[in-house]
Amino acid sequence: MKNLFLILFGAISLITFSQTKVGEVYFNDIDTFEGAELMLNGAGERERLYALGLYLDFEVEGVEDGLRVANKDADMAISIKVITSAVNGAELKEMLRNGLERATDGNSYLLENEIRDFINLLPNDINKYDIFKIVYKKGGNLSLYKNKDKLGQVNSLKFKKALFKIWLGGNPVDEKLKEDVLASYTPNPILGRWKTYDKETGVAINIVQLYMIENKIFGSIQRMLRQSERDAVCYQCKGDDKNQNVEGLVIMKRLKHAKDFKYENGKFTDIRTGEVSDCDIWIDEEEMDVLNVKYKGGGGTHQWKRVKEDE
């Protein structure tokens, strides 16, 4: 599972993604957290108190990866949706303290300053269907949101590890919830980041992120690999794409599933010429890390290579 970048960051909330239902609430299968697009790994419910979704940009094998996720210094997020009116701020703070005591095997006092800072961010008034988001950015920045409002942040990787272990650690507050959020995820192999190449020279050009909206595949340029092209503008593009920055430009649109790992009848924008052409993409089972891309005027089939997690 990989990061999903669009030039539409500011308007992404207006787009309807596919969703996963947990009880009476829904979680977007793809969601935005402080500019990073993360994918829902799993979601579950705890004792009719709240539903929780775990968002990552890397794959897990299953419940045994709980500690790895909690300890990992990588972008991730937890979305908590309150499903009862019976919990108030004081009770939530007490549950959090108890969870941290369990997660640290009774050593939460070693993180007392960070715990106090974080708990002080929690509001006293909590209503049914309030949404809390715990967003961790690689490097130690952990932020807390209530609905759309940022309540504050705590800059500590150690605290982040302990906090996530409340649900993912060896002594979680709810074993079934841990299993649900760490369920082994089998992603659509088409989705993710792909490195494109010049067909004649073999030189890499950019990285394109493929994602899904309403069962159709879209693709945006996440990064131009030549530093001198990072600020390039598509002057030749047409319509709403004209004069837009190349990085973030949605160059593949509305590809429909045909069969197996093939999507077709979409549109492809050539950033060199601005031409928009019909486009098909597919993966052959014997080469799952190679994406075949064919569009009119492209000079045959292009082969893009999957970007690995550490690239």
Side-chain angles (χ1 to χ4, degrees):
M1 295 185 289
K2 300 297 183 180
N3 277 359
L4 192 65
F5 290 99
L6 304 170
I7 197 171
L8 304 176
F9 279 156
I12 195 69
S13 60
L14 301 177
I15 298 175
T16 301
F17 290 101
S18 57
Q19 296 182 317
T20 295
K21 186 178 182 182
V22 177
E24 58 188 75
V25 299
Y26 292 83
F27 291 89
N28 288 338
D29 290 343
I30 302 170
D31 213 337
T32 308
F33 301 89
E34 295 190 349
E37 293 287 344
L38 304 177
M39 296 189 70
L40 180 68
N41 186 80
E45 185 178 288
R46 185 190 178 201
E47 300 175 354
R48 296 297 301 156
L49 296 174
Y50 58 80
L52 183 147
L54 175 66
Y55 287 83
L56 306 172
D57 72 346
F58 55 91
E59 296 179 22
V60 299
E61 297 298 325
V63 68
E64 65 275 8
D65 274 350
L67 285 175
R68 180 171 75 90
V69 174
N71 290 327
K72 191 175 179 66
D73 184 16
D75 291 354
M76 63 183 72
I78 286 175
S79 179
I80 300 173
K81 302 191 176 187
V82 180
I83 56 177
T84 179
S85 57
V87 176
N88 58 41
E91 290 171 330
L92 180 60
K93 293 175 183 180
E94 182 61 28
M95 284 191 290
L96 186 65
R97 274 202 170 274
N98 179 66
L100 285 164
E101 190 72 355
R102 291 173 60 116
T104 59
D105 297 326
N107 292 295
S108 64
Y109 69 93
L110 297 173
L111 294 166
E112 184 59 28
N113 290 336
E114 292 88 344
I115 292 173
R116 287 182 180 177
D117 289 344
F118 188 80
I119 285 181
N120 286 338
L121 299 177
L122 293 169
N124 292 320
D125 295 327
I126 297 176
N127 300 306
K128 187 176 182 180
Y129 301 129
D130 277 344
I131 301 173
F132 291 90
K133 294 183 180 181
I134 301 170
V135 182
Y136 180 76
K137 300 290 287 183
K138 183 177 180 180
N141 188 331
L142 186 139
S143 300
L144 177 66
Y145 291 79
K146 178 187 176 185
N147 300 323
K148 295 183 179 181
D149 298 324
K150 183 174 181 177
L151 303 179
Q153 64 187 46
V154 175
N155 297 319
S156 170
L157 175 58
K158 287 184 179 180
F159 176 70
K160 174 265 179 183
K161 292 178 179 180
L163 185 63
F164 275 62
K165 285 177 185 175
I166 291 176
W167 301 282
L168 308 179
N171 186 24
V173 294
D174 189 313
E175 289 283 357
K176 179 61 168 59
L177 177 59
K178 176 181 175 179
E179 292 175 4
D180 289 339
V181 301
L182 288 168
S184 181
Y185 181 75
T186 304
N188 183 334
I190 291 285
L191 306 180
R193 295 189 299 158
W194 298 91
K195 185 178 288 187
T196 78
Y197 299 84
D198 184 286
K199 204 171 189 312
E200 295 182 1
T201 66
V203 176
I205 302 172
N206 53 39
I207 292 176
V208 173
Q209 175 79 50
L210 297 189
Y211 55 97
M212 184 175 288
I213 300 176
E214 296 183 340
N215 297 318
K216 297 182 179 64
I217 297 294
F218 291 73
S220 64
I221 296 177
Q222 177 187 344
R223 186 169 80 246
M224 298 299 293
L225 296 176
R226 183 173 293 174
Q227 292 189 17
S228 62
E229 296 178 345
R230 295 281 167 84
D231 297 321
V233 174
C234 192
Y235 296 111
Q236 304 299 323
C237 287
K238 300 176 177 62
D240 293 339
D241 293 336
K242 186 174 181 61
N243 297 332
Q244 297 294 330
N245 289 340
V246 169
E247 283 196 351
L249 194 67
V250 183
I251 61 170
M252 303 179 88
K253 299 177 181 177
R254 296 183 293 277
L255 286 112
K256 301 176 182 178
H257 184 249
K259 62 177 181 178
D260 299 329
F261 306 132
K262 183 173 183 178
Y263 288 78
E264 59 186 21
N265 297 325
K267 296 296 181 181
F268 179 86
T269 298
D270 188 330
I271 59 174
R272 298 170 301 176
T273 65
E275 292 298 320
V276 178
S277 309
D278 294 336
C279 176
D280 298 335
I281 60 175
W282 69 94
I283 293 177
D284 295 323
E285 288 193 32
E286 61 272 16
E287 289 187 295
M288 296 297 287
D289 289 332
V290 175
L291 180 71
N292 299 288
V293 180
K294 188 173 184 179
Y295 56 92
K296 187 176 180 181
T301 301
H302 295 249
Q303 291 190 324
W304 298 0
K305 296 181 182 178
R306 190 184 304 278
V307 177
K308 303 300 183 180
E309 180 180 336
D310 56 353
E311 289 188 61

